[in-house]
Amino acid sequence: MDVTFQFDWQAAIASIPYLLEGIPWTLLISFGGLAIGFVIGIIFGLARISPTALLRWPAIAYIEIFRGTPVLVQVLFIFYGLPQLLGGPINALTAGIAAIALNAGAYISEIVRGGVQSIEKGQREAGLSLGLSRTQAFRYIIWPQALRRMIPALGNQGIVSIKDTSLFSVIGVGELVRQGQVYIATTFTALEVYFMVALMYLAITLSLSLALRLLERRGLVGQ
Amino acid sequence: MNDKNTPMVRLKKVNKHFGKLHVMRDIDLEVTPGEVVVIVGASGSGKSTLIRCVNGLEEFQSGRIEVDGNELLPDGKSGKSLQAVRTEVGMVFQQFNLFPHLSVRDNVTLAPMKVRGWPREKALETAHRLLERVGIQDQADKYPSQLSGGQQQRVALARALAMEPRLMLFDEPTSALDPEMIGEVLDAMRELAKEGMTMMIVTHEMGFAREVADRVIFVHDGQIVEEGPPQEVLDNPQQERTRSFLSRVLKH
């Protein structure tokens, strides 16, 4: 009996149209979650370095909780746990976006904190000495410089979060992995399909890396 | 508004502590409009802290500071008058502190537009005039990192002057410069002094102090030990501590 398994390219290619249907969902959860996570990150990152303890402590608590627990547990909690509290179901897509937003938001808070704290004290002093208010000094001087320094770390977080969405197949969102699983259930071509799934993740993350590299190069002007 | 008789800056019994360190002890000082005051002293003597208190970059714990009629209060409780002081007082730093993400032109126009609310054309016109005056009109499109240290410091001077300050503070403006660039920055400061700008300068350039200062102040351990015209303080000091400091500095 011949047990040698051949990689069946035709089976791989045949799965593409079906897998492609998952990509919009993967992108929507990733970038939707990251966009909200970025806003959360700015707010909590700045609260984290506030001189006011009343702002600082909730930020620390949030960051530690969402950095210290697995994103899979977070999404299960939101999708299966929260409905018991709220008394109504939560849509799987919403749960996925919320989990990425909260999880990435915690990491981005730390990126924002590091970026802002990396700007030399003299920059703020120069701004204040010119009569700028503290808000103006932050907005026109500190933030633009901090944002540039944050780009590589933000890119990293983006890639991590895109890959994290693969876990959300467990709540039944029709993202890439879920599409693959469903397809394999009828064709039994696990090798070919998971290979294609991996390629598609790679295509997404490589595009992001490339885009960020271009952005970084542009941002380097004037540094 | 100020006439020649009311001081531009007045410090009365100002005390400042960094934790247990008593860095300013009962400092009394008045600077009249148009006067150029050079502050000398060893590092750690409190001379930089003194001028940084004048525009509120450092807080003090007791005493009073008045700048052009605005009063700064102890423990950072100055409120609105702090903003008023900073708008009227320019500062040049040892490390230049130019904004690296902005072009030379934008470095100079930012504060006049955002703080004074000048229209862009007026800010640009002023920036152009000031950059020309400090000899960097051709570099307006460049970024700070593309300039030499001396050029950067002259841009920093133009940036401060763009706010049309009534008082200029200099915190060791040439200490971070290569020796061959010190002259160009001192020249620009000399010119400013000639035009009648009120200036408080912390520096180790004794030759410059002798030439430009109306008054030299020697600070030691947070106290003003000796003050007077440069010929007196630098050439004929009365205090032993001044003599020993000068003998160490002038040897080089």
Side-chain angles (χ1 to χ4, degrees):
Chain A
M1 204 161 58
D2 185 13
V3 290
T4 322
F5 198 92
Q6 294 284 314
F7 188 92
D8 183 350
W9 280 105
Q10 271 180 335
I13 290 163
S15 72
I16 290 176
Y18 196 78
L19 294 180
L20 282 180
E21 283 176 37
I23 285 190
W25 295 97
T26 293
L27 293 179
L28 184 61
I29 300 170
S30 305
F31 289 100
L34 281 166
I36 300 169
F38 188 52
V39 175
I40 294 177
I42 293 173
I43 295 168
F44 282 82
L46 296 181
R48 173 75 181 75
I49 46 181
S50 163
T52 314
L54 214 63
L55 292 173
R56 204 167 57 238
W57 284 106
I60 292 172
Y62 160 71
I63 292 166
E64 294 303 333
I65 289 169
F66 283 90
R67 246 183 2 167
T69 53
V71 68
L72 179 58
V73 175
Q74 290 164 11
V75 81
L76 291 173
F77 181 87
I78 294 169
F79 187 66
Y80 293 113
L82 276 191
Q84 293 189 12
L85 263 180
L86 303 175
I90 291 178
N91 162 296
L93 177 67
T94 311
I97 291 175
I100 291 293
L102 288 166
N103 185 263
Y107 284 96
I108 293 172
S109 298
E110 287 292 272
I111 295 172
V112 167
R113 172 171 82 103
V116 169
Q117 284 181 332
S118 78
I119 304 303
E120 301 70 24
K121 189 169 111 253
Q123 290 292 308
R124 182 166 180 272
E125 289 185 349
L128 296 180
S129 80
L130 286 165
L132 296 174
S133 68
R134 289 191 298 181
T135 316
Q136 286 176 320
F138 181 79
R139 176 169 162 203
Y140 299 116
I141 297 166
I142 295 166
W143 181 249
Q145 295 184 60
L147 192 58
R148 274 174 209 199
R149 290 192 191 176
M150 283 155 48
I151 289 175
L154 289 174
N156 245 340
Q157 184 55 45
I159 288 171
V160 168
S161 290
I162 288 169
K163 293 186 298 180
D164 280 349
T165 61
S166 65
L167 297 166
F168 300 169
S169 53
V170 298
I171 57 168
V173 200
E175 46 71 65
L176 251 174
V177 170
R178 177 74 180 177
Q179 288 296 101
Q181 286 171 336
V182 172
Y183 188 76
I184 291 163
T186 56
T187 62
F188 306 105
T189 50
L191 174 70
E192 290 80 4
V193 174
Y194 282 132
F195 178 78
M196 293 313 289
V197 167
L199 269 189
M200 288 184 188
Y201 275 110
L202 201 55
I204 298 172
T205 54
L206 284 179
S207 312
L208 180 64
S209 292
L210 191 69
L212 284 165
R213 198 159 306 163
L214 292 175
L215 191 68
E216 215 179 323
R217 195 170 307 163
R218 252 192 48 200
L220 280 180
V221 178
Q223 283 285 346
Chain B
M1 287 294 103
N2 236 310
D3 60 56
K4 276 277 172 194
N5 301 316
T6 44
M8 177 71 77
V9 182
R10 181 188 289 165
L11 282 81
K12 263 211 139 104
K13 288 217 174 299
V14 173
N15 282 278
K16 175 172 178 64
H17 303 262
F18 275 127
K20 277 187 183 159
L21 220 60
H22 199 169
V23 283
M24 282 171 70
R25 299 164 190 263
D26 285 337
I27 297 276
D28 283 314
L29 175 64
E30 288 191 356
V31 180
T32 55
E35 194 179 16
V36 177
V37 175
V38 169
I39 302 160
V40 300
S43 63
S45 59
K47 56 193 193 306
S48 286
T49 309
L50 195 163
I51 66 165
R52 287 165 57 85
C53 279
V54 172
N55 69 347
L57 287 184
E58 298 281 354
E59 294 178 1
F60 54 101
Q61 277 74 47
S62 70
R64 21 183 319 181
I65 298 181
E66 228 175 83
V67 183
D68 200 19
N70 297 295
E71 191 178 347
L72 297 180
L73 301 174
D75 300 317
K77 297 196 174 110
S78 309
K80 281 233 184 308
S81 66
L82 178 62
Q83 189 82 9
V85 165
R86 285 173 174 165
T87 306
E88 305 303 327
V89 177
M91 187 167 201
V92 170
F93 299 85
Q94 182 176 354
Q95 300 295 341
F96 328 137
N97 298 349
L98 290 179
F99 307 133
H101 61 301
L102 299 178
S103 69
V104 164
R105 179 182 292 112
D106 291 345
N107 262 276
V108 181
T109 56
L110 178 72
M113 287 167 63
K114 301 299 177 195
V115 179
R116 294 239 188 255
W118 289 2
R120 186 165 186 79
E121 306 78 61
K122 184 181 178 188
L124 280 172
E125 206 175 290
T126 306
H128 187 257
R129 179 169 49 77
L130 287 168
L131 288 172
E132 191 171 321
R133 173 170 154 186
V134 296
I136 10 194
Q137 63 275 27
D138 304 330
Q139 324 277 347
D141 292 317
K142 290 194 178 168
Y143 285 87
S145 61
Q146 297 170 295
L147 304 182
S148 73
Q151 290 173 323
Q152 288 191 47
Q153 193 62 302
R154 284 182 284 149
V155 172
L157 179 59
R159 178 179 70 177
L161 292 178
M163 285 294 289
E164 302 184 335
R166 297 171 52 78
L167 166 71
M168 279 293 300
L169 307 174
F170 294 85
D171 190 2
E172 303 201 29
T174 58
S175 297
L177 293 174
D178 291 334
E180 75 268 23
M181 293 172 183
I182 292 177
E184 62 196 56
V185 171
L186 293 183
D187 282 344
M189 290 170 62
R190 202 173 277 127
E191 203 151 300
L192 193 60
K194 252 186 240 157
E195 287 167 17
M197 176 65 78
T198 314
M199 297 160 81
M200 293 177 76
I201 306 168
V202 171
T203 185
H204 295 291
E205 298 290 332
M206 295 302 161
F208 175 76
R210 189 171 280 122
E211 178 195 347
V212 175
D214 296 310
R215 184 156 47 122
V216 172
I217 291 176
F218 173 66
V219 177
H220 181 81
D221 267 350
Q223 282 177 305
I224 294 178
V225 172
E226 190 161 358
E227 62 179 305
Q231 307 85 289
E232 281 175 26
V233 176
L234 298 179
D235 299 333
N236 189 20
Q238 302 301 304
Q239 301 287 330
E240 175 49 36
R241 282 175 296 185
T242 318
R243 275 197 289 273
S244 91
F245 168 75
L246 289 171
S247 73
R248 272 176 288 137
V249 176
L250 296 175
K251 243 180 247 163
H252 307 296

